[in-house]
Amino acid sequence: MYVVKSPLPETDLKTVSGALQGALVDLLDLSLVAKQIHWNIIGPRFRSIHLQLDEVVDTARRHSDTVAERASALGVPPDGRAATVAQSSGIGSVPQGWVKDTDAVGTLVSALGAVITRMRERVQTTADADPVSQDIFINVTAELEKHHWMFQAENA
């Protein structure tokens, strides 16, 4: 049942709601992955990477809120529960315990790459169905790609 009614046709709404939910899950998991590594990083580049991880967390949290609110505006209740995130995220597992700085960077490059790939698919999927949501995905992707570039440069 939709409490808030969207002006989008039902087929477009289905496409867009799936894309928004997937993006929400990926962004929430990305923030958790970055925070987990943030707490456990060790090595000579600890401080700079530690601070850089917080930037990723801030980006992911800010955009997860935008994505969730877009879903709500379209009449689709967002689902950011831990079980949903664990079941649906496109990000692989994160090492437990202390993480060497070079390994932390590699993990973040992989996590960001996975999310970016899925975001780019959402950009394509929503192009005709809802350019407003597509614009959100484009903005998210641009910021994540900037983080991806910066983390790759850490291990170059």
Side-chain angles (χ1 to χ4, degrees):
M1 173 178 100
Y2 293 111
V3 175
V4 176
K5 303 257 189 277
S6 170
L8 292 176
E10 193 63 34
T11 55
D12 290 345
L13 183 60
K14 184 177 179 184
T15 297
V16 173
S17 65
L20 289 166
Q21 179 59 38
L24 176 61
V25 164
D26 284 349
L27 290 166
L28 290 172
D29 199 23
L30 180 61
S31 73
L32 293 171
V33 165
K35 218 31 156 163
Q36 179 67 24
I37 294 170
H38 168 90
W39 295 321
N40 290 287
I41 188 171
I42 57 172
R45 295 181 299 158
F46 163 81
R47 180 146 174 79
S48 64
I49 296 171
H50 181 81
L51 296 173
Q52 193 175 356
L53 288 162
D54 270 340
E55 293 173 8
V56 173
V57 171
D58 291 344
T59 297
R61 287 180 178 168
R62 182 170 29 86
H63 285 300
S64 67
D65 193 52
T66 300
V67 165
E69 289 179 355
R70 178 65 183 157
S72 293
L74 294 175
V76 180
D79 186 355
R81 296 173 298 160
T84 303
V85 173
Q87 182 181 42
S88 307
S89 175
I91 300 174
S93 64
V94 178
Q96 184 177 8
W98 302 119
V99 181
K100 179 120 178 70
D101 52 4
T102 53
D103 296 335
V105 168
T107 299
L108 248 294
V109 167
S110 293
L112 285 161
V115 175
I116 289 165
T117 297
R118 289 166 54 117
M119 267 325 153
R120 285 187 160 277
E121 291 168 2
R122 294 175 184 115
V123 167
Q124 296 302 317
T125 302
T126 57
D128 293 328
D130 182 24
V132 176
S133 294
Q134 182 196 40
D135 189 51
I136 291 170
F137 296 135
I138 290 169
N139 289 325
V140 172
T141 303
E143 277 197 65
L144 294 178
E145 285 179 343
K146 183 177 179 182
H147 288 300
H148 191 242
W149 156 55
M150 291 183 173
F151 272 101
Q152 287 180 80
E154 287 281 347
N155 276 351

